[in-house]
Amino acid sequence: MELCEKKIAGVFKALADENRIRVLKLLQSGEKCACVLLDDLHITQPTLSHHMKILCDSGIVTGRKDGKWMHYSISNEGAEVVVDYLKALTSVNGCSENNPCCK
């Protein structure tokens, strides 16, 4: 897997905020309308929009418009990418012929 630092940083930025973590916890039970998220989070609409843009841009969350409201859900594919990035970044590469360890 090719690791693009900018894309990885965007994904982990999405996870590095308490409100966005709360959004993800709310979305664990399924798709939610923005109006429900607003009521549960007690934040303003512009603040919610800011957080949702970051989550959607990261690929972790998807949104769909229904009339004047947006409905959000966790993207299974996006969640798998997060796990793959974390595994790739934290795997320890052992010695190899091309990269010998201290001998």
Side-chain angles (χ1 to χ4, degrees), residues 21-77:
I21 297 297
R22 288 184 189 106
V23 167
L24 290 172
K25 289 172 76 175
L26 289 169
L27 295 178
Q28 283 181 310
S29 61
E31 183 180 79
K32 298 278 186 299
C33 177
C35 61
V36 171
L37 296 174
L38 282 170
D39 287 344
D40 288 348
L41 295 171
H42 307 290
I43 58 177
T44 65
Q45 188 277 325
T47 300
L48 178 65
S49 291
H50 167 75
H51 289 303
M52 298 315 296
K53 178 174 178 13
I54 292 170
L55 286 167
C56 289
D57 286 350
S58 75
I60 299 169
V61 170
T62 59
R64 68 173 182 85
K65 192 162 178 78
D66 183 20
K68 69 175 189 171
W69 290 106
M70 286 295 292
H71 294 262
Y72 296 100
S73 59
I74 293 174
S75 163
N76 290 331
E77 297 83 13

